[in-house]
Amino acid sequence: MTSPSPVQKEFRASFDGRGPYALLAAGVVAAALSARLIGMGHAAMAVAAVLVVAAAALQMGWDRVKRRRPGPSRTGACLYFLRWALGFALTWLNPFFALYAVTGYYTVGREVPRRVVRPGLLLTAITMAGSEIGGMPPHGPILWLGFFLLLGFNLGMVAVFTRFAEQEEARALAQSATIAELERTNTALQQALDENAALHAQLLVQAREAGVADERRRLAAEIHDTLAQGLTGIIAQLQVVTNTPDPGLARVHLQRAVDLARHGLGEARRSVHNLAPVALEDAGLPEALRKTVAEWGERTGVRAQFTLTGMAEQLHEEVAATLLRIVQEALSNAARHARASRVGVTLSFLGDEVILDIRDDGRGFDPLALPARSAAGGFGLDGMRARAERIAGSFAVESEPGHGSALSARVPLVRHDR
C-alpha cells in the first residue's frame, strides 16, 4: 500500500466535515418512515427530535473545535463519546438511527487518541449490534443470543479493518521515513555534486598549469637537443681549427662546423613548429639512427655502430622523435664524459615494445652519486628518463666506474598514423 493520495485526503476531509450531517439526515428520514411500523409513540418521537437537534448542534461545535485544533485530542475524545451516547439513545428509540451511529466507525482513528480507539469501536459495535437485532433492548434469550453473535461479528470485522488500517499507517510511516531519507540523500548528493563541480574546475586549472609546465619542459628539451648540442659540436670543430696548423684539416673541420650550423638551424625551425627532427623528415627511425650514429662517430673519432633487431615498423612520429632525441643526448654525453673507444646503439622491435640500448666502454660512473644538474649543464639522464616516461615508457641506467655504461629505454610500439 501507499500513502493516501491528495484526492483521497480531500475526500476524507470532506467526509469528516459533511458525512455526519448526511448520515444524521439519512437516519432521520429512515426513522420517520418507519416510526409507525415499529410502534414509536409521540413521546419517543419528541425525544428523538430533541436528540437529533442536540446531535446537529454537537457536530457544529465539533467542527469549530477541529478547525482550531485538528487531529486527535482529549476534547475530540469527549465529543466522540458524547456523540456515541446520542447515537446509542437514538438507535434505542429507532434502530434506523444506526445510520447516524455508524459514523463512529469511520472517524474514530482521526478524532480520538490511540489509547481510546478500541473502547470507542467497542461501543459503536454495541450500538450497531443492537440495531441489527431490531432495536434495544433485546426481548427474550433468542434475541440476546443474536445480539451477542452480531456483537462478536461486528467486533471481528472491526478487528480486521483496524488491523488493515494499522498496517496501512505503518506502511505510510515507513514510506514517509524512506522519502525523508531519500530527500536527505538527494541533498547530500547535490552537495557532493557541487563539491565535485568545484573540484573538477580546480583540476582543470591544475591540468592546464601542468600542460603549460610540460610544454615548457618539452620546448627546453627541444632547444637543448637542437641548438645546445649543435653549438657544442660547432665549438668542438672550431677548437680543432684553432689548434691545428694544417690548412687542409682546418678546412675539413670548418666544413663540419658549417654543416652542424645548418643542421641546427633546420632543427630549431622545426622544433618551433613542433615537428619531427630533421633526420626523421625523409627517413624512418632506423635509418635516422644509423645516420646519426655514423656522423657522430666520424665527428668524434670514436668507433660507433648501429644495430637493428626484429622487424622494423613505421613508428608514430612522437615515439620516433623521442627515441632519436634520447640517442642524440646519450651520444653527446658519451662525447663529453665517457672517454669511450666504442659505442653501440641497438634498436629492437619486440612484440608491442620498442627497446633502445646505448652501450659504451668508457670510464663509467656511479648512477647513485650523480651531481645535480647545474644551470649550464645539459638535460642528461633526467631528461632522457623524462622523455621516455612522457610516452608511457621507462628508462634504466647500468654503470659503474671503470666498466662503461649501458642505457636502455623501453617504450610502447605505437604505429604511424596513416
Side-chain angles (χ1 to χ4, degrees):
M1 289 186 181
T2 59
S3 59
S5 66
V7 175
Q8 291 174 320
K9 291 181 179 179
E10 183 179 355
F11 174 77
R12 287 182 179 179
S14 177
F15 179 82
D16 289 346
R18 303 174 185 174
Y21 296 105
L23 292 174
L24 179 61
V28 170
V29 172
L33 295 176
S34 63
R36 292 185 179 181
L37 295 176
I38 63 174
M40 285 185 69
H42 293 290
M45 287 189 286
V47 172
V50 172
L51 293 178
V52 167
V53 173
L58 174 66
Q59 192 62 43
M60 288 186 287
W62 197 343
D63 290 342
R64 287 194 294 271
V65 170
K66 285 193 294 184
R67 282 194 294 270
R68 294 195 306 268
R69 189 185 303 173
S73 64
R74 290 184 178 180
T75 303
C78 293
L79 294 174
Y80 177 87
F81 287 114
L82 183 56
R83 184 177 64 187
W84 169 82
L86 291 173
F88 181 81
L90 286 169
T91 305
W92 189 288
L93 295 173
N94 190 314
F96 286 98
F97 275 113
L99 293 173
Y100 169 65
V102 77
T103 308
Y105 277 153
Y106 302 109
T107 60
V108 63
R110 296 186 293 279
E111 295 175 346
V112 304
R114 182 181 292 273
R115 64 179 180 275
V116 294
V117 167
R118 293 185 185 278
L121 291 173
L122 172 63
L123 293 176
T124 302
I126 290 173
T127 302
M128 298 307 295
S131 170
E132 289 163 357
I133 63 167
M136 295 289 286
H139 299 288
I142 299 299
L143 290 179
W144 275 106
L145 177 61
F147 170 77
F148 285 112
L149 288 175
L150 290 171
L151 178 61
F153 174 78
N154 278 276
L155 290 177
M157 295 299 295
V158 166
V160 170
F161 288 112
T162 300
R163 179 62 175 171
F164 287 158
E166 290 175 349
Q167 289 178 348
E168 180 180 0
E169 182 180 4
R171 289 192 181 96
L173 291 175
Q175 188 179 48
S176 298
T178 302
I179 292 173
E181 181 64 26
L182 287 174
E183 290 177 350
R184 288 193 295 270
T185 302
N186 287 337
T187 302
L189 180 60
Q190 186 60 47
Q191 292 176 350
L193 289 175
D194 294 340
E195 293 174 359
N196 285 340
L199 180 60
H200 180 66
Q202 182 179 357
L203 289 176
L204 286 178
V205 173
Q206 293 177 350
R208 189 177 299 111
E209 293 175 349
V212 170
D214 185 67
E215 184 64 12
R216 287 175 177 172
R217 287 192 296 269
R218 186 193 68 79
L219 290 175
E222 288 292 326
I223 292 172
H224 168 264
D225 292 337
T226 56
L227 298 179
Q229 289 187 11
L231 291 173
T232 300
I234 292 172
I235 290 171
Q237 299 301 320
L238 293 178
Q239 285 176 342
V240 174
V241 173
T242 302
N243 296 326
T244 182
D246 185 354
L249 183 59
R251 284 194 297 272
V252 171
H253 286 281
L254 280 175
Q255 185 60 45
R256 288 179 179 175
V258 171
D259 293 340
L260 285 173
R262 288 174 177 168
H263 180 82
L265 179 60
E267 287 280 7
R269 288 172 175 170
R270 285 158 179 80
S271 295
V272 170
H273 292 87
N274 196 25
L275 298 177
V278 174
L280 293 172
E281 194 172 51
D282 300 318
L285 179 62
E287 185 60 32
L289 290 179
R290 182 176 287 107
K291 182 178 180 181
T292 299
V293 171
E295 290 178 350
W296 180 86
E298 182 181 352
R299 187 169 62 249
T300 60
V302 178
R303 186 170 63 179
Q305 182 179 2
F306 171 74
T307 305
L308 173 66
T309 64
M311 181 65 69
E313 297 193 45
Q314 188 73 13
L315 296 176
H316 189 279
E317 60 182 19
E318 183 67 20
V319 176
T322 297
L323 295 177
L324 179 59
R325 294 305 192 199
I326 290 175
V327 169
Q328 289 173 336
E329 176 68 15
L331 293 177
S332 178
N333 288 345
R336 290 197 303 268
H337 308 297
R339 297 179 184 175
S341 61
R342 289 186 302 173
V343 173
V345 177
T346 303
L347 180 67
S348 303
F349 288 84
L350 297 177
D352 57 355
E353 278 189 327
V354 182
I355 303 174
L356 179 66
D357 295 301
I358 305 104
R359 299 179 181 272
D360 66 66
D361 61 353
R363 61 180 182 174
F365 59 91
D366 183 0
L368 300 179
L370 289 176
R373 181 170 65 90
S374 65
F379 277 71
L381 298 176
D382 290 339
M384 288 185 273
R385 177 174 289 106
R387 285 185 179 279
E389 291 176 352
R390 191 161 58 234
I391 58 172
S394 61
F395 185 80
V397 180
E398 294 181 7
S399 182
E400 59 179 290
H403 292 83
S405 60
L407 312 179
S408 179
R410 304 173 71 96
V411 300
L413 194 159
V414 182
R415 294 173 177 83
H416 176 68
D417 294 334
R418 299 188 183 279

